[in-house]
Amino acid sequence: MASKQLRTYTREEVAKHNKEDDLWIIIDAKVYDLTRFVGMHPGGIAALTDEDIAGQDATDQFFALHRFEVLLKPQYQRLVIGNIEGEEAALHPPSIGDISKVPYAEPTWLTEGYHSPYYTENHRELQRAVRKFTDEYLIPDAQAREEDGKRPDQKVFDKMAELELHAMRLGPGKHLQGRTLMGGIVKPEEFDYFHELVAMQEMVRCGARGYGDGLLGGKVIGLPPVLNFGSEELKARVVPDVLAAKKFICLAISEAHAGSDVMGLQTTAVKSEDGQEWIINGSKKWITNGTFADYFTVGCKTEDGFTVILVERGPGVETRQIKTSYSTTAGTAFITFDNVRAPVGNTLGEEGGGIFVMLSNFNHERWVMCCASARAQRGIVEECLKWTSQRKAFGKPLNSLATVRAKLAAMIQRAESVQNWLENITYQMCNMSYKQQASKLAGQIALLKSYSTSCAQETARDAVQLFGGRGITKTGMGRLIEHYHRTIPFDALLGGAEDVLSDLGVRQALRSMPHDARL
Ligand SMILES: Cc1cc2nc3c(=O)[nH]c(=O)nc-3n(C[C@H](O)[C@H](O)[C@H](O)COP(=O)(O)OP(=O)(O)OC[C@H]3O[C@@H](n4cnc5c(N)ncnc54)[C@H](O)[C@@H]3O)c2cc1C
């Protein structure tokens, strides 16, 4: 199809088209003919026929009320008839892969002119590739799935598998051997926790909390026990299909009676008469990806304590969706096990040693959540900086008010402190064995997670305040703020509730108090 011929106009020519039946406006040096659209304008006809709008430059008024993405929609692009003579567009929407120029919208290491001791050129290369992938594949699917509540598109899972993003999200380790990571950008033996942090923080930019968990959050927490404690036979059978996103896995520990108090779980596993199988009975609650999982990493009460068993979907396993305040794309499930049989070979770790398996999983899970939380709050800082510059009240931008700037300051301080502490802990992880991490970092990670999620909740509250009514409106200017504010409590609960983790962090510190320390 031939593209439309655009003409140039003078501002005087545009000004003549200022009636409801002949209405043009200028936005950012482009001329829009709104004559056929005026009756369909969601904001009403009067907003467009106003004498400050009809035939005039309405750039400021447009951006005070609309996001850039509105202008980019094909139905509105079709209304463009030309450009203003001698003028160029001054505003540019972000393109795929762009780094934001808004202050604090990117971590320091990605901001021009700043430095970091932690990131190499290889981390930067990975960042560029994952950003492009996120912009191209994740963001459009995230927005669509948040709307229809279905799990992420299999094409997205397949693309992630091709790039080995499923494997990279499990951190450094043997599972990366022989894989081509992100088209060969990172060598498996060189992949470290900063690579994982980069991949995680880039993907979080899709700005959809439920979708983020739908993107195989269950695998991130459910597969490590198989990798670390499964038999070679079990790993060979399960891991390749899960990392290829042909099969799905989840971690099923929590129950209606046992959330923070893991020791209270009541699902039982007893051996069959011939000793070859476990027979499992009980239920699990709020299990991420459970609705579509093929495998369940299940915490069970057994004769001599707790045991973790890999259960495969089959007779006696039932999953049903739990509707929470984030979208059903996460596949949050209530699961019942009714005389479900699993081979004894599916035991993960020692029989009776399940608590060790479950606890050893927590550090990485919580650290991943810190990566996500730090990046998500930074996204809110960017939204607020843009909004308070665009939005005028009493004739001035919101950011001309000292109270507004004070809120922005607090948001920036929180986002920066969380990221900086996270990077420090990540550096420790890169230089410690798994065992050292378990003894030296469990407390630090717990404290960081509870700090990060409490910062995030304060930022969510401040952001709603800055956006006013739009901060609680699902569509339009404040849509990301509404989403963030609605879903932020999840981070403060999952992987250990905020209060529980603060307490854990201090208890760990107290264990290391020197006996001879006195004031
Ligand atoms: C959407 C969603 C997804 C989830 N995904 C999974 C999953 O994939 N797999 C899985 O196994 N579980 C999952 N969970 C469960 C999650 O781990 C639990 O919700 C969490 O452990 C808290 O347990 P609870 O909700 O039963 O709260 P409770 O344990 O009843 O605690 C309620 C509150 O009491 C306080 N509290 C409790 N104990 C203490 C303490 N010792 N010190 C101080 N304060 C305390 C805290 O404020 C806490 O928030 C998910 C939950 C949700 C909501």
Side-chain angles (χ1 to χ4, degrees), residues 221 251-254 259-260 286-288 326 490 493-494 497 499-500:
I221 56 181
L251 180 71
I253 305 292
S254 304
S260 309
W286 300 300
I287 305 307
T288 303
Y326 73 18
F490 284 72
L493 295 172
L494 315 188
D499 315 298
V500 177

Side-chain angles (χ1 to χ4, degrees), residues 16 20 41 51 61 100 191 203 229 243 247 287 291 303 364 367 416 423 438 488 492:
K16 291 178 196 154
E20 188 180 328
H41 181 228
E51 62 179 12
Q61 293 92 330
S100 175
F191 189 92
M203 294 201 297
F229 300 99
L243 294 185
K247 292 268 176 85
I287 305 307
T291 57
E303 205 178 355
H364 184 258
W367 172 82
E416 287 300 324
E423 289 178 352
I488 202 64

Side-chain angles (χ1 to χ4, degrees), residues 300 305-308 348-360:
C300 301
F306 294 97
T307 304
V308 179
L348 303 175
E350 302 283 317
E351 277 185 42
I355 286 298
F356 178 67
V357 176
M358 291 187 263
L359 294 184
S360 73

Side-chain angles (χ1 to χ4, degrees), residues 1 5 216 262 302 329 332 346 371 375-376 385 392 395 429 432 488:
M1 201 169 65
Q5 280 294 315
L216 305 191
V262 174
T302 46
T329 183
T332 311
N346 283 18
C371 295
R375 191 61 183 82
L385 282 168
K392 290 198 175 108
M429 288 165 69
M432 284 185 190
I488 202 64

Side-chain angles (χ1 to χ4, degrees), residues 348-509:
L348 303 175
E350 302 283 317
E351 277 185 42
I355 286 298
F356 178 67
V357 176
M358 291 187 263
L359 294 184
S360 73
N361 213 24
F362 276 139
N363 270 354
H364 184 258
E365 170 182 351
R366 289 173 184 158
W367 172 82
V368 165
M369 296 180 78
C370 292
C371 295
S373 168
R375 191 61 183 82
Q377 34 191 305
R378 189 174 291 285
I380 298 304
V381 171
E382 178 172 14
E383 290 285 300
C384 289
L385 282 168
K386 284 181 179 164
W387 164 253
T388 54
S389 305
Q390 275 169 242
R391 174 69 170 175
K392 290 198 175 108
F394 303 102
K396 286 190 258 170
L398 285 182
N399 63 18
S400 64
L401 300 165
T403 49
V404 167
R405 292 196 301 272
K407 282 198 168 45
L408 293 170
M411 284 182 183
I412 293 168
Q413 287 159 343
R414 290 189 288 256
E416 287 300 324
S417 59
V418 168
Q419 179 75 16
N420 278 276
W421 191 2
L422 171 67
E423 289 178 352
N424 181 303
I425 287 181
T426 307
Y427 185 69
Q428 309 309 323
M429 288 165 69
C430 290
N431 288 284
M432 284 185 190
S433 67
Y434 194 69
K435 221 170 144 195
Q436 285 170 323
Q437 286 180 35
S439 76
K440 288 191 177 302
L441 294 182
Q444 290 236 1
I445 292 175
L447 286 174
L448 173 61
K449 181 175 177 285
S450 74
Y451 174 66
S452 181
T453 60
S454 69
C455 284
Q457 300 208 64
E458 284 179 53
T459 288
R461 194 195 56 210
D462 283 353
V464 167
Q465 213 58 43
L466 292 180
F467 272 75
R470 288 172 181 81
I472 49 166
T473 303
K474 282 196 173 186
T475 53
M477 294 294 262
R479 69 178 174 80
L480 293 176
I481 305 300
E482 186 280 333
H483 179 93
Y484 188 70
H485 183 252
R486 174 163 43 87
T487 59
I488 202 64
F490 284 72
D491 290 352
L493 295 172
L494 315 188
E498 221 164 82
D499 315 298
V500 177
L501 294 188
S502 295
D503 190 49
L504 169 69
V506 175
R507 278 190 291 112
Q508 292 273 327

Side-chain angles (χ1 to χ4, degrees), residues 14 23-27 30-34 53-56 58:
V14 176
L23 200 153
W24 296 5
I25 61 164
I26 304 164
I27 301 175
K30 283 201 173 77
V31 181
Y32 291 75
D33 180 351
L34 304 187
I53 305 287
Q56 302 300 313

